[in-house]
Amino acid sequence: MDVRLITKCLFRKVLTEKMVAGFVIVAMLVFLVNPVRWDESFEPHSVRSIENTAPGIEIDSGETANNIASGESSTHWSGKVQRFSLFERLTKVTRDSENPGVSNESRRTLHSQASYRDMLKGDPIILLPHGNDTGCYLKERLDQWGLPLVHSAFADQVDRRVIITGVRRPTKDYSWHLEKFRCEFYPPGVVPRNSTELHGNIPGLIAVPTDPMIKDEQKIGAAPQGVFILTCRIPRELYEVDVFKMNLRRLSESEPAHTNITVCRSLRRSYSGHFLSICTMLRNMDKYVPDWLEYHKQLGVERAYIYDNAPYSTLVKAPGVQSHIDSGFLTIIPWAHTYSDGKTYLETQIASENDCLWRHRHDATWMIKTDVDEFLQPMSREMGKWLPNYLNQTFLEHLAGVRLQNWFFCQYDKKLARNVRMQLGGQGKTVFDRNQYSARLPTPINKGRDKSIVRPDRVHYFKIHAIKWGGDILSFDPYTELRMVHYRGDNPRHPTFCPKLVEKDTSMLELWHKLTNGTTAL
């Protein structure tokens, strides 16, 4: 055996090992001298944590803004997601051995920490809902020059994102999708203590860039209204925090910011999903709500969310409403937000619809989007009156929603309607008794009267009558599947409305009698 060859090989091996060790040492020194915060370097992605799964297991859905909008998902199982920089891997053990919920910069502010209840109780811009809901809502929209018009901000603890929703005024606002923004998170439990901190100047802020925004280019209706959704990743320090503070800052020369925003979880820590829910916004329509709630509950709706736009809400006092709240069926959200100059209440309604969809994208499989003067009527003998039967069909599995064609009902017989109103007994007190005539034909599709049942997790932007950005939809046949009965003449804004060509139609009244066992008054 050649001794020189063996010596040469050993020399090369030792030299290679020394070079590798030297490179690792140099790399470690570089990262230690120029540390990069985990919150700045962590690659934006979507991580879904699943409760009651094996320890150390997560789902890395890898969903981008585009495939969320299209309703697609590339979900796959993997081990514990580790996407840290080298510096983070070197320091992770030390960091986790300390208090993981408090950064070094924020330790001096521990004395200002507050409990969940205290933070919400003392917040003048936050309102809490009526019902089984842990969320909190802005008392009024955030409107500041040079910034998006924000209607809501909440924490999605499943995707570990803060969701910020609002509207974009095409004639006034910037093209927000071209701008850069940053979320600035307050350390856990920290609340402002003086005027300086009230303006967002908090020691130890955790800065996280927002995710790319999808431009809303769909113009629907005579007065197009843009929608925007901003998202940013929640820092690790706040994963298990129920309520926290943050700023939303635009990265421009003046750096304007919405500051001191209170953010709450959108869902309870241990929540249960439901197949079918219904969500709407109203204003001073209290007397129509009891029948609307009971009717849809009898047809299989499991949860109802009402955004109340009245400045001084009295909805909770309407007959039967409190019992629906106590049972967990109904949540009333205070939503007395104002609208912009030159706009109508529809601007506020659009904001409420997108807030509702994004808050419940993880616990609601399907969501009905109608007004309180609109009722879904099953038309199939085979599938019966149970709404989930219509939505459980195989061909709907890959869709984002279904369109419901409008069918007007009205008080054509004024004498009948007047007599109904005068009756004080068990009969004649409902919208079904007053409106026993229907239009001969449904309203044509795409004429501004359609409504939808959608899958919240497959919709990115929504506007009253249609999905603006999301997955595919199809229309249900109003003769053989589902139709949307619209009692427009019962709406105080249109008290004399009635189609020109009508015919006697008592089908809804008969269905109501079957659902309530002949008792038409709640």
Side-chain angles (χ1 to χ4, degrees), residues 499-518:
K500 293 182 179 180
L501 300 177
V502 298
E503 59 188 10
K504 185 75 171 182
D505 189 340
T506 60
S507 60
M508 283 292 287
L509 180 60
E510 294 167 3
L511 176 58
W512 175 249
H513 286 173
K514 292 179 181 178
L515 295 175
T516 58
N517 296 320

Side-chain angles (χ1 to χ4, degrees), residues 241-295:
V241 178
D242 292 328
V243 58
F244 52 84
K245 296 276 190 175
M246 65 166 287
N247 306 325
L248 175 64
R249 189 174 302 279
R250 178 181 165 210
L251 302 182
S252 61
E253 293 183 2
S254 58
E255 292 197 340
H258 292 305
T259 60
N260 195 30
I261 305 171
T262 300
V263 178
C264 304
R265 285 173 171 262
S266 60
L267 301 172
R268 292 184 174 275
R269 286 178 176 269
S270 57
Y271 65 89
S272 58
H274 46 274
F275 184 77
L276 182 58
S277 62
I278 192 167
C279 185
T280 192
M281 190 193 87
L282 55 75
R283 181 186 177 98
N284 301 326
M285 297 276 287
D286 298 4
K287 66 179 181 180
Y288 303 99
V289 171
D291 292 345
W292 185 79
L293 287 173
E294 186 64 27
Y295 176 85

